[in-house]
Amino acid sequence: MQKGTSTALGLLLGFALDRVFGDPRRWHPVAGFGSAVAALESVTYADRRAAGLLHETLAVGAVVGLGAAVRRGGVAATAAATWTVLGGRSLARTGRAMADRLAGGDLDGARALLPSLCGRDPQALDADGLARAALESIAENTSDASVAPVVWGAVAGIPGLLGYRAVNTLDAMIGYRNERYRRFGWAAARVDDAANLIPARITGLLTAALAPLIGGGPAAALAAWRRDAAGHPSPNAGVVEASMAGALGVRLGGRTEYPHGVEMRPILGDGPAPTVHDLRRAVRLSEAVQLAATLLAAAVALTRR
């Protein structure tokens, strides 16, 4: 079987496994990686960019090397790697659970669920704030947890799948601008920005193209992207959040509270604040984008020799 065909079939099968089973409940390889790099940090940490670059190189390099070692496993190995790195079903399931709790007036339950979506301070948020935080997280993680992995899998096979997940996990762990990680986490944040540059824009285009599925318009999604995305502090999150806001016809951004402090995010979109209904629509659009991206990635993989 040609390499491209094997990769394409593995991506499709891995996506199907994620749809059916979601993330493993125990012994998740990504959690194991997180524990390993936390231990590595105890050795490599110093309040310098060079130390963070060394940490990034060692951690990502080890995972890419593992991917290269197992890439001859064919369809089965690619499917297993794809399933390991995808988080699309869990993202959609959590988004629906958040909508259910908000719809039922269970604010304590919704606040308890928010940390599984993003790192904001749930105790500082009311129902509207929780809906907005969840929706913005759905938009960003559609790219990070589903589209970007299959894009990298299409162009670089198993090393691309595993390497991307390592990069994204490191950014989630140390890519912060707080006192400890402002310098040490700089490399992790910049590498993650680079790795997501193209996938985020693919996500934005697919979000616009598929907006009619949830009653939105492609033109509105693209207009919000062009007008608002550049004001976001992230070169990638701004694209996917703005295009989602435009597709849904809602307004995202504004005052954003984290445990480390408050950030004023730019306004994305020009509609009303999102509701629980909009959160449900965002989940449906996210799932459509995930499927479309996987089919596109499989088609690209078929062109590889």
Side-chain angles (χ1 to χ4, degrees):
M1 184 181 295
Q2 290 188 343
K3 179 170 64 174
T5 302
S6 175
T7 299
L9 290 174
L11 290 172
L12 293 172
L13 180 57
F15 179 81
L17 289 170
D18 178 64
R19 291 294 96 186
V20 173
F21 299 110
D23 290 333
R25 296 287 185 179
R26 300 177 63 186
W27 310 107
H28 197 302
V30 175
F33 171 77
S35 298
V37 295
L40 177 65
E41 182 181 333
S42 68
V43 177
T44 58
Y45 180 81
D47 190 19
R48 299 191 304 271
R49 286 185 176 182
L53 179 59
L54 174 63
H55 181 76
E56 181 85 3
T57 301
L58 291 174
V60 176
V63 172
V64 171
L66 174 63
V70 302
R71 64 183 172 184
R72 294 186 181 277
V75 174
T78 303
T82 303
W83 180 26
T84 295
V85 303
L86 288 181
R89 183 172 188 262
S90 295
L91 176 66
R93 183 173 56 210
T94 305
R96 288 194 182 94
M98 176 66 78
D100 289 343
R101 293 180 186 187
L102 289 174
D106 183 9
L107 292 189
D108 289 339
R111 290 185 179 114
L113 190 60
L114 188 67
S116 63
L117 283 171
C118 61
R120 301 183 193 181
D121 181 4
Q123 300 307 317
L125 300 176
D126 59 11
D128 290 343
L130 288 164
R132 185 200 125 201
L135 201 157
E136 289 175 352
S137 181
I138 292 291
E140 183 174 3
N141 283 298
T142 297
S143 179
D144 290 359
S146 192
V147 176
V150 296
V151 168
W152 279 102
V155 300
I158 295 175
L161 287 162
L162 300 185
Y164 170 76
R165 180 49 63 206
V167 165
N168 191 244
T169 301
L170 279 167
D171 177 61
M173 294 179 68
I174 66 172
Y176 298 107
R177 298 177 182 176
N178 57 23
E179 183 176 352
R180 177 175 174 84
Y181 291 126
R182 187 177 302 276
R183 295 181 182 85
F184 184 75
W186 177 86
R190 297 292 78 76
V191 172
D192 184 73
D193 284 345
N196 281 291
L197 197 66
I198 292 175
R201 281 142 188 85
I202 292 173
T203 303
L205 290 172
L206 291 174
T207 297
L210 298 172
L213 294 177
I214 48 90
L222 293 174
W225 176 353
R226 289 194 301 268
R227 184 186 64 238
D228 302 329
H232 198 284
S234 166
N236 301 317
V239 170
V240 295
E241 290 180 20
S243 59
M244 181 68 83
L248 295 169
V250 300
R251 182 184 69 254
L252 301 177
R255 180 184 175 89
T256 305
E257 299 201 30
Y258 292 94
H260 61 267
V262 176
E263 297 182 15
M264 292 303 299
R265 294 292 177 86
I267 298 300
L268 307 173
D270 55 8
T275 65
V276 171
H277 175 63
D278 296 315
L279 179 55
R280 295 192 194 279
R281 293 168 65 214
V283 171
R284 294 200 304 272
L285 182 54
S286 171
E287 291 185 306
V289 169
Q290 292 174 38
L291 175 60
T294 303
L295 294 174
L296 178 62
V300 170
L302 286 173
T303 67
R304 297 175 59 208
R305 296 184 180 275

